[in-house]
């Protein structure tokens, strides 16, 4: 039986067990000290002033938009190629997401399409840094300044990925991260918002905890504003703190895997591996590529127990956001070719080389 080569594989280490045991022993498994410790670590790592842990990356995006008082009647620009969570977070505020086409060179949001989509109702742009590859933040920042709109970054796939000397997620007024199982570090579910704005920091804390700035008794608390329960837990924070012990090893491995693919598969007809500026600090969470015969390749690799992940269908094709293909020529053309190659940091060099060998063999035939 051939070994299964996963496209992704979460890994739990003994550190997590020890942190979790401490939390269990304390009896205080809800949000508390451990969560604050985890938030401070994340803020420090990202060179951000504040970090607020949330129940998921989707909720990190929702709370970010809500903290900016974005709601019914407002428009938020998002790329047509992203995980549907980006659009759903906008919908949760009551605002409308305005889908824009992507840059065919990167599959990331096309700044030219952003500018064309701006109306009087536009309040924010959500650039999405797919697989850790940075959207063009230089131009997007200029557009946001010109039209006085906010940037909320969807950096759910870009933890510690740098773009032009700055961490993705720290370009916008707010930046959002996910710790779901297929990310560099996971807490099962979980998310984080980072910001340098103190007022928004406190607003986020209120919003995620029933309108209270700080945890109260649950009884005679003052609830200054409308809020919800989107808190994190100390148990999740314990897992996150444990995962951080492996961080540098994981980031190194992600870069090594990408480099093997890039070296082995560049100048091979039929496949284009997207470029990641590893020297500049970008972290390829996953290696992604365009393959004209994608579905056939995915099937072929599966015969060898090799698992790839096909890209999302464009948001405009999903029932809640249905629009005509004609408005999105690039995402419509390219999403059926886009694939994530096996990128688990548990893969050995030989396994990645085997995937490359088989891809080459398939493309030659
Ligand atoms: C681009 C993108 N946005 C948003 C999310 C949502 O994060 P979560 O699954 O933690 O809600 C994800 C995560 O999986 C993602 O990949």
């Amino acid at each position: 039986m051939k070994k299964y080569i996963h496209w992704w594989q979460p890994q739990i280490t003994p550190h997590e067990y020890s942190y979790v045991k401490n939390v269990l022993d304390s009896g205080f498994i809800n949000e508390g000290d451990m969560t604050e410790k985890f938030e401070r670590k994340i803020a420090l790592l990202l060179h951000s002033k504040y970090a607020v842990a949330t129940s998921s990356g989707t909720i990190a995006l929702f709370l970010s938009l809500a903290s900016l008082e974005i709601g019914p009647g407002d428009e938020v620009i998002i790329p047509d190629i992203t995980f549907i969570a980006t659009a759903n977070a906008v919908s949760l505020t009551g605002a409308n997401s305005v889908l824009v086409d992507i840059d065919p060179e990167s599959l990331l949001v096309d700044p030219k399409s952003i500018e064309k989509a701006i109306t009087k109702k536009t309040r924010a742009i959500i650039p999405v840094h797919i697989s850790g590859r940075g959207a063009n933040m230089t131009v997007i920042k200029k557009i946001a300044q010109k039209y006085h709109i906010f940037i909320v970054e969807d950096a759910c796939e870009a933890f510690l990925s740098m773009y032009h000397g700055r961490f993705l997620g720290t370009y916008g007024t707010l930046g959002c991260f996910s710790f779901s199982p297929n990310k560099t570090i996971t807490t099962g579910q979980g998310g984080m918002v980072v910001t340098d704005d103190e007022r928004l920091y406190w607003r986020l804390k209120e919003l995620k905890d029933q309108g209270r700035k700080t945890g109260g008794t649950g009884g005679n608390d003052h609830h200054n504003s409308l809020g919800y329960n989107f808190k994190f837990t100390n148990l999740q924070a314990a897992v996150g703190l444990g995962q951080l012990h492996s961080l540098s090893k994981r980031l190194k491995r992600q870069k090594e895997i990408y480099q093997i693919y890039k070296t082995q598969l560049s100048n091979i007809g039929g496949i284009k591996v997207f470029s990641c500026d590893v020297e500049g600090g970008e972290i390829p969470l996953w290696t992604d590529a365009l393959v004209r015969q994608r579905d056939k390749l995915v099937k072929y690799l599966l015969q060898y127990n090799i698992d790839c992940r096909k890209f999302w269908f464009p948001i405009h094709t999903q029932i809640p956001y249905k629009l005509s293909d004609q408005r999105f020529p690039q995402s419509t053309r390219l999403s059926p070719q886009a694939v994530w190659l096996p990128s688990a940091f548990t893969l050995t060099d030989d396994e990645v080389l085997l995937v490359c060998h088989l891809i080459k063999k398939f493309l030659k035939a």
Side-chain angles (χ1 to χ4, degrees):
M1 181 71 188
K2 281 179 246 121
K3 196 180 159 206
Y4 202 88
I5 296 186
H6 296 267
W7 91 268
W8 184 258
Q9 201 172 24
Q11 211 177 22
I12 303 296
T13 76
H15 290 288
E16 286 85 302
Y17 285 87
S18 120
Y19 280 101
V20 169
K21 183 172 183 316
N22 286 344
V23 169
L24 289 173
D25 287 348
S26 78
F28 199 84
I29 57 177
N30 194 4
E31 187 170 282
D33 290 356
M34 272 292 188
T35 307
E36 280 171 24
K37 196 168 165 186
F38 185 54
E39 288 174 333
R40 279 198 300 275
K41 282 236 173 194
I42 299 294
L44 214 65
L45 280 167
L46 292 167
H47 303 172
S48 188
K49 278 197 188 147
Y50 307 102
V52 179
T54 61
S55 53
S56 68
T58 311
I59 291 304
L61 288 163
F62 162 67
L63 292 176
S64 295
L65 298 169
S67 74
L68 298 169
E69 289 174 31
I70 290 172
D74 294 333
E75 290 178 351
V76 178
I77 296 175
I78 67 167
D80 190 35
I81 291 192
T82 177
F83 183 43
I84 199 159
T86 320
N88 287 342
V90 176
S91 301
L92 201 51
T93 68
N96 286 326
S97 39
V98 175
L99 302 172
V100 297
D101 211 354
I102 46 98
D103 175 354
E105 289 307 309
S106 63
L107 296 192
L108 303 170
V109 67
D110 179 359
K112 288 195 291 293
S113 313
I114 293 177
E115 198 156 9
K116 278 191 217 144
I118 289 173
T119 70
K120 282 199 173 72
K121 294 180 182 171
T122 309
R123 296 282 319 282
I125 310 168
I126 308 184
V128 183
H129 310 302
I130 296 174
S131 314
R133 300 183 290 107
N136 189 338
M137 292 313 295
T138 318
V139 177
I140 293 172
K141 254 206 119 133
K142 280 191 189 141
I143 295 172
Q145 276 159 2
K146 182 170 164 193
Y147 295 96
H148 307 288
I149 50 188
F150 293 108
I151 297 175
V152 174
E153 287 176 83
D154 182 338
C156 285
E157 300 178 6
F159 184 48
L160 290 172
S161 187
M162 270 195 153
Y163 176 90
H164 295 188
R166 196 179 171 130
F167 286 114
L168 290 166
T170 66
Y171 275 88
T173 305
L174 300 130
C176 302
F177 296 87
S178 163
F179 303 123
S180 69
N182 60 19
K183 305 302 186 298
T184 303
I185 64 159
T186 183
T187 58
Q189 294 293 331
M192 192 72 75
V193 184
V194 298
T195 184
D196 281 344
D197 186 316
E198 189 180 357
R199 192 186 62 78
L200 290 176
Y201 166 70
W202 287 111
R203 185 73 195 111
L204 286 164
K205 286 181 72 86
E206 279 182 350
L207 279 165
K208 77 169 213 182
D209 189 16
Q210 313 287 11
R212 294 179 289 211
K213 276 197 171 65
T214 49
T217 65
N220 60 339
D221 294 333
H222 292 288
H223 300 265
N224 299 323
S225 60
L226 188 74
Y228 315 94
N229 180 0
F230 289 127
K231 291 197 291 289
F232 205 59
T233 66
N234 278 353
L235 281 174
Q236 289 168 294
V239 176
L241 287 165
Q243 293 261 300
L244 285 176
H245 284 265
S246 321
L247 186 60
S248 44
K249 224 166 74 191
R250 291 179 181 196
L251 297 176
K252 182 168 167 278
R253 192 66 197 137
Q254 283 163 350
K255 289 188 269 189
E256 287 166 355
I257 290 171
Y258 163 79
Q259 296 284 21
I260 298 176
Y261 281 125
K262 195 69 188 164
T263 313
Q264 292 288 319
L265 300 176
S266 54
N267 305 319
I268 304 282
I271 185 164
K272 171 189 158 172
V273 175
F274 284 106
S275 288
C276 188
D277 180 13
V278 169
E279 283 77 30
E282 268 185 342
I283 304 287
L285 171 62
W286 315 308
T287 300
D288 44 12
L290 287 180
V291 186
R292 239 167 284 131
Q293 301 207 62
R294 181 197 68 177
D295 291 355
K296 278 191 181 157
L297 174 68
V298 169
K299 240 185 185 165
Y300 173 79
L301 291 175
L302 256 184
Q303 291 170 5
Y304 294 90
N305 274 352
I306 295 170
D307 187 25
C308 296
R309 184 169 78 149
K310 293 179 190 176
F311 252 61
W312 313 288
F313 293 110
I315 302 293
H316 83 266
T317 66
Q318 304 284 5
I319 287 170
Y321 302 102
K322 201 103 183 132
L323 290 168
S324 139
D325 282 352
Q326 276 145 16
R327 290 174 56 179
F328 308 94
Q330 302 300 353
S331 63
T332 301
R333 181 171 67 89
L334 294 174
S335 107
Q337 299 178 27
V339 65
W340 283 287
L341 301 175
S343 304
F345 40 62
T346 45
L347 297 180
T348 63
D349 282 5
D350 282 347
E351 286 170 335
V352 183
L353 285 166
L354 173 67
V355 177
C356 294
H357 166 75
L358 289 169
I359 291 175
K360 285 191 234 181
K361 201 168 144 193
F362 169 85
L363 291 172
K364 234 186 206 163

